Amino acid sequence: MAMAPAPALKHWRTTLERVEKFVSPLYFTDCNLRGRLFGDSCPVAELSSFLTPERLPYQEAIQQHFHPAQVGDSFGPTWWTCWFRVELTIPEAWVGQEVHLRWESDGEGLVWRDGEPVQGLTKEGEKTSYVLTDKLGEEDPRSLTLYVEVACNGLLGAGKGSMIAAPDPEKAFQVSRAELAVFHRDVHKLLVDLELLLGMAKGLGEDNQRSYQALYTANQMVNVCDPAQPETFPVAQALASKFFGQRGGESQHTIHAMGHCHIDTAWLWPFKETVRKCARSWVTVVQLMERNPEFTFACSQAQQLAWVKSHYPGLHARLQEFACRGQFVPVGGTWVEMDGNLPSGEAMVRQFLQGQNFFLQEFGKMCSEFWLPDTFGYSAQLPQLMRGCGIRHFLTQKLSWNLVNSFPHHTFFWEGLDGSRVLAHFPPGDSYGMQGCVEEVLKTVAKNRDKGRTNHSAFLFGFGDGGGGPTQTMVDRLKRLCNTDGLPRVQLSSPERLFSALEGHSGQLCTWVGELFLELHNGTYTTHAQIKKGNRECERILHDVELLSSLALGRSAQFLYPAPQLQDLWRLLLLNQFHDVVTGSCIQLVAEEAMCHYEDIRSRGNTLLSAAAAALCAGEPGPEGLLIVNTLPWKRTEVLALPRPGGAHCLGLIPSPGDSAQCGLRSCAHPHLAAAPAAPAACVCSARAPADLASRPLSTKTDGSVTLDNGIIRVRLDPTGCLTSLVLVASGREAIAEGAVGNQFVLFDDVPLYWDAWDVMDYHLETRKPVLGQAGTLAVGTEGGMRGSAWFLLQISPNSRLSQEVVLDVGCPYVRFHTEVHWHEAHKFLKVEFPARVRSPQATYEVQFGHLQRPTHYNTSWDWARFEVWAHRWVDLSEHGFGLALLNDCKYGASVRGSVLSLSLLRAPKSPDATVDMGRHEFTYALMPHEGSFQDAGVIPAAYSLNFPLLALPAPGPAPAASWSAFSVSSPAVVLETVKQAETSLHGRTLVLRLYEAHGSHVDCWLHTWLPVQEAVLCDFLERRDPAGPLPLRDNRLKLTFSPFQVRSLLLLLQPPPN
Ligand SMILES: [Zn+2]
């Protein structure tokens, strides 16, 4: 081996920079190694193009008329597509060489060859060259036609000026290179080695001898390597191989590298573009898997795979093939990577149910880990939901974004609300888009907070967020680092191998209990109020459709449960729960599509409700009229507006006199309101209220204030609409803090540091400005009887105004605030506050299938970092014996600081959607003072009632004459949340019931059903039978045992219907 002379000098910096210049793509490319990466080149034979606003299928696109085009041409605008036909002829002289098509253009390209997509091309994703042949053979055809489909958007959309700015609709795109070239694979290998050596020299630092060994090896390689003389390369290569072949010790940390490509299902681009992003990214991955049998790729989100299956069946088949080989690894188990905070418990179950069933059907097995690298916090119920879906492992990294506190673990047990545990891992490199550099490999070990306890870490590499995925260079780097002294060992691995290695050390791991709260992006609980409202409303609609359809199944032999339709609608809802959609952090185009999805669920859902109602009415004697349905599992006494002919409404009181009547229905002669019979009924209409429930007359005092009183609570509003008093009548207890007013609207300046739609910062609290109303604006609305109300107008600012009706119904334990806002602001945040006459160091917030406490003070950094938090339908602040609950029908942001309960109403960020939240909004919140604990006082059913109004459905046929109830539960702690048909159902007559313990207690209860049940057996969330077998069923009653916040599912096999 020819050796270079011994180096004359020992200067660290000049040596290092010398090597850097030798591989630089910027400097000295006329004589350095990088400049030799490509050899001879020639232009493509012919280039033509066709521009379209549509996203056309390939077969359709290539039929279009293509115009001559050339390098340097511009095309666009944003969101359009330019198809290029590329005719090429490889020069005969290149036989024996590796030949590439070099393509550089703006936008995201996809190469089609022989009618199939073969590779993505994006400058941003470092994919600018398509390998035409590894080695051109004598006999190989040298003429070829390819198509390149270029989407007029970048990997990260088309923001005007900055990434998250609203898209620029008029962007121009350009082709800057389209040529054939000879690729020098040996130069590429040397470049990879030299870059890794430079990385080690820099990353290990001047205290480390291995760093010097790396530097001098690289320097020596430069000495022996003449870029103009390829015959010198093997000597340099041998020096590198010797270095990288020096093994580390037995104690080396092991890095499990997995290819990954985070594709946001919609974000800075519309859903339809994501379909193409998946194709571009994954065909590239298929190529990598073909060339590198050890390369693995972890791929999440069933929805994206389903899109590829329907739009690119050939690609889907290849993915299935590589899944069989263990290289393509479906992960995550969910339909999309959903937001971890806002979806309801049931919706989260459905993410897994739809996802796992898809993975099983298409890839032969379910996922064993939950994969949610990028979402804005993680509900404390997730561990239980994972365990119930066959999942024991969890991977994310987003908590590394915490602004205030650094999370103390990377590998740990995460214990949920009910005590369920999963093994959690955060890739310690704090990224899901690594490049395979030495710096990242070193960071993975250095930052790992559990090193010493466990010797394994995950490393996810590949361009992400907007797709793109791994490159061959990344794979080459990681392969080179498989076992080199001075660095951790790097394995191309899989989640399964990672987690089984971590499990081997699990005795050493710490446990984190409760939610994983992200100390950032707290604005996403509020941004885009219409999407939030659509989410809550559609969760309710699907709940009601499933319940009614199940009851119809139980009562009618002819009824066909609308399983396929419900699957479609659920999938739309789940799609919108993606972590940049329901959160409101998407562009306007996406928000519009999301609103269409909700509209679809509303209209088709209401049709399904009517169909179920019709089936429930069929065959029963009785007058035609209204079917009143209570879809909640407890009795209700409520005032309901009933439709009258001609479009008018009248108020009716719907009491439920019986004990056992729940989840039931009742007919109501139309348009009359009948007196309530004493028979057990969930819902019977009544015209007159019992005397003790009667609303007292409204009194307008001389000072312009209004008092509403229903005998349970007494509400006093001052002349501007503020709440000056809220009294529990029986005890005389006042709920509003002394000297303060409730229903106080407040406006904050809301200017974050960068992530506009996402972040509300702590300092916004310092800009609080109460919105002061005008005296004399308060007026009496409804005069009393069954309902009393008052209303007022409030000018929020010169541009925004609000009107509110404050409503108190007879028999109702809470006062409702129906609110309409016309909102035209920039970077303002509207909240409403209720200072309570309650003192407690913690407040309670509803979450999925339960609730949790958060502090009301800012003692520690962990406390004050939660200055803005999320909740579902209610927040409660209680001291011993008394409390105040704040309920809502479509809000998610809240906070309780000191004694002030605050509900977040509207924001006005401008990026990435400049129009977000501008315009009209309608929402309702409610206030419920109570004695005792919120559990005993019935705050939970009250919040359900606010969110699940009684249904008054037109009964097309004879409605049942008597009221009828399907289910009841003996304990108020247990909520029957869901009734649906089982996914696989014998003769369609198996139902699934989901119940949960809502009080945080151990409890035994009886579930009673009036449906003809033949067999009952527990099951998991994926509806797989408990091997312990059927439960004893006596007199249609089942005994169930719950621990705090436990969620249980049950299969009920109904008897065949009588003929
Ligand atoms: Zn994301």
Side-chain angles (χ1 to χ4, degrees), residues 262-264 267 337 374-376 432 465 578-580:
H262 185 66
I263 304 181
D264 287 313
W267 179 30
E337 287 183 12
D374 179 34
T375 201
F376 312 153
Y432 46 74
D465 290 330
F578 178 74
H579 62 256
D580 280 309

Side-chain angles (χ1 to χ4, degrees), residues 503-522:
E503 254 167 2
H505 301 267
S506 61
Q508 293 276 310
L509 298 175
C510 297
T511 297
W512 179 273
V513 179
E515 68 177 326
L516 297 172
F517 184 85
L518 178 63
E519 296 171 354
L520 199 74
H521 293 359
N522 327 34

